[in-house]
Amino acid sequence: MPAPHRIGRHRYYSTQGYTDRLNIRKTPSTSAAVVGTIPPLETGLQGTGECSASWCPVDYQGKRGWVGRRYLASWSF
């Protein structure tokens, strides 16, 4: 995965690699509660911390949680 784009202290991502909706999970687990969803090819997800091997914490339109790292790409503008 490319490094996220940084603006000051913030990281931003776009999404890739899925066709329906990407679940935002409460914790970094596929069995965790879904707190929101992201449509395909969305941009402007703000990173809210460090990624693990498989998950990244994000904020998307006020929904904070975790998404699969493989669905994120760096975002540029």
Side-chain angles (χ1 to χ4, degrees):
M1 179 182 97
H5 186 78
R6 288 182 182 260
I7 302 173
R9 295 175 35 205
H10 301 288
R11 293 184 192 127
Y12 290 89
Y13 301 100
S14 62
T15 61
Q16 64 181 7
Y18 61 98
T19 56
D20 191 13
R21 293 226 171 233
L22 178 61
N23 290 327
I24 303 170
R25 302 278 181 174
K26 185 173 183 176
T27 61
S29 169
T30 56
S31 61
V34 175
V35 298
T37 60
I38 304 168
L41 304 174
E42 193 61 47
T43 61
L45 283 77
Q46 182 175 341
T48 60
E50 295 298 319
C51 296
S52 70
S54 301
W55 296 88
C56 290
V58 299
D59 183 316
Y60 174 69
Q61 297 183 342
K63 305 288 186 195
R64 292 178 69 105
W66 295 80
V67 298
R69 186 175 186 159
R70 68 182 175 161
Y71 300 113
L72 298 177
S74 63
W75 179 62
S76 61
F77 54 94

